[in-house]
Amino acid sequence: MHRLQFIAYRSVIAGAFDQYQILSMHYIRTPCHIQPVRQKTQGSVENYGLKRFSTAEATVATTENDRIRGRTLTMETLNPHVKAVEYAVRGPIVIKAGEIEKGLQQGVKKPFTEVIKANIGDAHAMGQPPITFLRQVVALCTCPELLDSPIFPEDAKLRARHILQDCGGNSLGSYSASQGVDCIREDIATYIELRDLGVPASCDDIFLTTGASDGIMTILKLLVSGQGRSRTGVMIPIPQYPLYSAAISELEAVQVNYYLDEDNCWALDVNELHRAFHTAKQYCNPRVLCIINPGNPTGQVQSKKCIEEVLHFAYEEKLFVLSDEVYQENVYSPDCQFHSFKKVLYEMGAEYFNNVELASFHSTSKGYTGECGFRGGYMEVINMDPEVKAQLVKLLSVRLCPPVAGQAAMDVIVNPPRPGEPSFPKFLEEKTSVLGALAEKAKLTERTLNAVPGITCSPVQGAMYAFPRIFIPPRAVEEAKVLGVTPDMLYCLRLLEETGICIVPGSGFGQKEGTYHFRMTILPSTEKLKLLLEKVQSFHIRFLQEYSVIEEPLR
């Protein structure tokens, strides 16, 4: 029986990875679907090729004497740094989940009726409703004729006029300055000052970005240089958000791992920073320290004392700090509080505040708005050399500007309705509802997973994810080795095939040798999350039973 299951799951795993690799092949896109370029045609040019003449590539019939010119771009000639890029959040498991979903729609029978995608922090895809005021303002900016409509509140109209006055031709369809719309940068500086209780902020240090990811990539481009042992080393937390390892691979920088302390609620230990830094100096030049607070995928919220220690370390070792703070609104534990790295730096005194180079990042995609599709974000960069800042502006200018609709959405987040304005009551109700529900789901997830034998889950203090540790029996580890996958990948593929739950193996984020995890989002509705957790619980117990039973040797 076990042999039959093994063969079946070898097929499942091979299918998942084959499908993932197919996406790296050459495709042509037709108006209705995607087809491999290798597709052969039938009939003459008149009968087939001319019918498709309007497509980017006309396909014609070939004969035995026709010569096929070799392609300029192949997997052999592809930039090797692109091949090195991996992004687990949208990897082979997600491709397989899409396949299964299509099969269900076509009537394929499975032991479940839907795929629950808990692999990515996409709030609206999980059913979270948009914040009304944000959508109203963006709608008014997009279609200014609506400014005369009585169905929109006056404070939304006021925000829209405020944004449009700084857009070329009073239109959201015009390019903005490469740094972003001026009034939005000013609003962000005001927001930061309020958030940080009076710490000064300047719009000259604010740059609008295409989501936080774009800003992080841009700053890393400035920082990476050198060859061999002088090549820039980038210190990243493990577990990490795969954007960082992907960017490091693409830029051919050197990844320097420092490990978060799972036994201490994924805390950051400054002694571990020292270990990683001094080890890395033997083979690279560590110049960058990346922090994610609140943590992704780990959900921890750093204490002020911890941040002080980290900043002191960065000051002593002359490291450029990248502070990923996109989950600053997502703090659920009553014992935790978000502290921005900039505010803590300021409180450490002028010697630190005027010297440590710091770039911090925020986004429309997370928080209570979850507006991922707008691709809005900003970065605040302090203590950057003025000549280097000019180079940053030049680099941003190559891309012209971030999406202006995303900039408008970012403006609403930093400039929401105030008490006394007509939209404030509804805005407060919606914001409180979203964050309250996330706090409850964080507790539910932690409590349920910790009740499952062989699973331990640290408190989800913030962000949108749980990163539980799972016990995988030695026989399952051996089977994964034979199949050529990591044990947690085998686990997640099995979970998907048997329950329809789509999560991401911990190996995609990094983990200590010999430990196994998975990342899941807490974004599904409460009822769907309960169902997800129940299915994980039942599956895990079956998984342990299957691989813990001693069977007779296979004949």
Side-chain angles (χ1 to χ4, degrees):
M1 177 64 181
H2 182 71
R3 183 180 183 88
L4 291 174
Q5 287 178 326
F6 178 80
I7 293 170
Y9 285 113
R10 171 176 278 174
S11 174
V12 167
I13 289 167
F17 279 90
D18 287 347
Q19 192 68 17
Y20 186 56
Q21 289 167 351
I22 283 172
L23 293 181
S24 300
M25 290 169 53
H26 309 288
Y27 282 86
I28 58 173
R29 184 175 295 275
T30 71
C32 299
H33 57 288
I34 297 174
Q35 295 178 318
V37 170
R38 296 195 185 97
Q39 183 186 22
K40 294 182 179 179
T41 61
Q42 296 178 349
S44 66
V45 172
E46 289 80 6
N47 291 339
Y48 185 83
L50 291 181
K51 292 180 182 178
R52 298 176 51 81
F53 192 71
S54 61
T55 63
E57 294 183 43
T59 307
V60 296
T62 59
T63 67
E64 291 182 4
N65 296 325
D66 288 333
R67 295 177 60 192
I68 304 297
R69 183 182 69 83
R71 298 194 183 280
T72 301
L73 183 60
T74 66
M75 288 302 292
E76 287 70 38
T77 60
L78 179 69
N79 182 339
H81 307 311
V82 172
K83 286 193 278 189
V85 170
E86 294 184 5
Y87 189 65
V89 174
R90 295 196 178 198
I93 285 184
V94 183
I95 305 295
K96 185 66 179 175
E99 251 184 49
I100 292 173
E101 208 166 31
K102 286 180 182 175
L104 289 172
Q105 292 167 359
Q106 294 166 2
V108 175
K109 297 300 180 184
K110 291 282 183 182
F112 47 86
T113 57
E114 66 172 331
V115 173
I116 301 178
K117 293 180 180 176
N119 62 294
I120 193 166
D122 190 348
H124 290 194
M126 293 289 104
Q128 179 179 308
I131 299 298
T132 302
F133 186 76
L134 186 148
R135 288 296 182 89
Q136 286 175 333
V137 174
V138 175
L140 289 163
C141 288
T142 305
C143 190
E145 304 93 277
L146 297 174
L147 287 165
D148 296 325
S149 170
I151 67 171
F152 288 89
E154 287 303 315
D155 49 351
K157 293 178 180 179
L158 186 67
R159 300 297 196 286
R161 292 189 182 100
H162 171 70
I163 294 167
L164 290 172
Q165 71 181 3
D166 266 18
C167 294
N170 295 318
S171 172
L172 215 61
S174 61
Y175 290 127
S176 75
S178 299
Q179 300 97 313
V181 175
D182 287 344
C183 69
I184 297 176
R185 293 165 64 214
E186 291 166 2
D187 288 343
I188 291 170
T190 301
Y191 161 81
I192 291 171
E193 284 193 6
L194 289 170
R195 181 199 68 188
D196 292 344
L197 305 177
V199 177
S202 168
C203 63
D204 292 334
D205 296 331
I206 306 297
F207 301 84
L208 275 298
T209 57
T210 307
S213 303
D214 173 52
I216 292 165
M217 189 71 176
T218 300
I219 297 296
L220 284 174
K221 282 183 180 179
L222 296 177
L223 285 157
V224 175
S225 65
Q227 296 295 328
R229 290 183 62 176
S230 68
R231 192 64 173 166
T232 296
V234 182
M235 300 181 68
I236 63 171
I238 298 296
Q240 53 110 17
Y241 176 50
L243 161 69
Y244 292 95
S245 56
I248 289 166
S249 294
E250 185 176 340
L251 296 173
E252 202 186 357
V254 180
Q255 180 173 319
V256 178
N257 296 339
Y258 66 88
Y259 289 87
L260 301 177
D261 184 1
E262 183 172 12
D263 294 331
N264 192 21
C265 202
W266 297 110
L268 197 167
D269 182 357
V270 73
N271 293 321
E272 171 62 9
L273 291 181
H274 282 287
R275 181 207 63 77
F277 177 82
H278 289 293
T279 301
K281 286 190 75 173
Q282 300 172 34
Y283 55 85
C284 70
N285 179 22
R287 302 174 65 204
V288 190
L289 174 59
C290 299
I291 310 288
I292 309 173
N293 181 46
N296 175 10
T298 47
Q300 89 284 5
V301 180
Q302 292 180 9
S303 68
K304 183 179 178 182
K305 182 177 182 296
C306 174
I307 295 172
E308 287 174 346
E309 291 175 346
V310 170
L311 288 170
H312 176 74
F313 168 76
Y315 173 83
E316 291 292 326
E317 303 297 352
K318 294 189 68 176
L319 296 173
F320 195 113
V321 179
L322 303 189
S323 181
D324 182 337
E325 299 176 339
V326 301
Y327 297 101
Q328 58 189 260
E329 296 276 3
N330 301 102
V331 177
Y332 314 124
S333 173
D335 300 326
C336 297
Q337 180 183 346
F338 170 75
H339 300 277
S340 77
F341 267 66
K342 181 188 174 186
K343 179 175 179 288
V344 175
L345 189 64
Y346 180 83
E347 292 170 346
M348 291 173 70
E351 185 177 359
Y352 289 91
F353 188 67
N354 295 329
N355 286 289
V356 174
E357 295 152 281
L358 170 68
S360 57
F361 306 89
H362 198 10
S363 170
T364 62
S365 302
K366 310 305 176 185
Y368 57 89
T369 53
E371 293 284 7
C372 301
F374 276 114
R375 306 308 300 128
Y378 75 78
M379 59 183 175
E380 182 186 23
V381 184
I382 64 172
N383 294 326
M384 179 175 276
D385 180 283
E387 292 185 19
V388 174
K389 186 184 275 191
Q391 295 296 310
L392 170 59
V393 174
K394 179 186 74 175
L395 193 59
L396 294 171
S397 299
V398 173
R399 301 183 183 182
L400 295 176
C401 70
V404 183
Q407 295 186 49
M410 193 76 248
D411 188 73
V412 181
I413 291 171
V414 301
N415 188 19
R418 305 182 186 95
E421 291 185 322
S423 297
F424 181 75
K426 185 173 187 179
F427 166 78
L428 183 62
E429 178 187 349
E430 291 177 341
K431 176 181 177 180
T432 303
S433 174
V434 169
L435 293 177
L438 286 170
E440 288 300 316
K441 289 187 282 188
K443 291 178 186 175
L444 171 67
T445 301
E446 176 196 345
R447 184 172 64 247
T448 306
L449 290 175
N450 278 322
V452 183
I455 298 182
T456 56
C457 182
S458 295
V460 183
Q461 298 173 331
M464 298 177 171
Y465 315 97
F467 196 67
R469 183 170 175 173
I470 52 176
F471 172 71
I472 297 183
R475 282 183 56 221
V477 173
E478 286 302 311
E479 182 169 309
K481 189 182 297 183
V482 173
L483 292 169
V485 297
T486 60
D488 47 10
M489 175 64 83
L490 170 67
Y491 182 96
C492 292
L493 280 169
R494 288 279 307 268
L495 178 69
L496 174 63
E497 280 287 336
E498 294 178 28
T499 70
I501 304 297
C502 180
I503 56 177
V504 190
S507 50
F509 301 87
Q511 54 197 351
K512 280 191 174 179
E513 187 77 24
T515 69
Y516 307 107
H517 302 78
F518 63 78
R519 189 192 81 160
M520 57 164 283
T521 178
I522 62 171
L523 288 171
S525 67
T526 301
E527 290 309 308
K528 195 163 282 189
L529 182 62
K530 286 179 180 176
L531 175 63
L532 182 157
L533 293 169
E534 287 170 4
K535 286 189 171 190
V536 168
Q537 182 177 35
S538 300
F539 168 81
H540 188 78
I541 292 170
R542 290 198 309 273
F543 189 84
L544 292 182
Q545 290 172 341
E546 175 184 341
Y547 286 100
S548 297
V549 174
I550 299 175
E551 295 183 351
E552 293 182 5
L554 296 175
R555 293 185 175 85

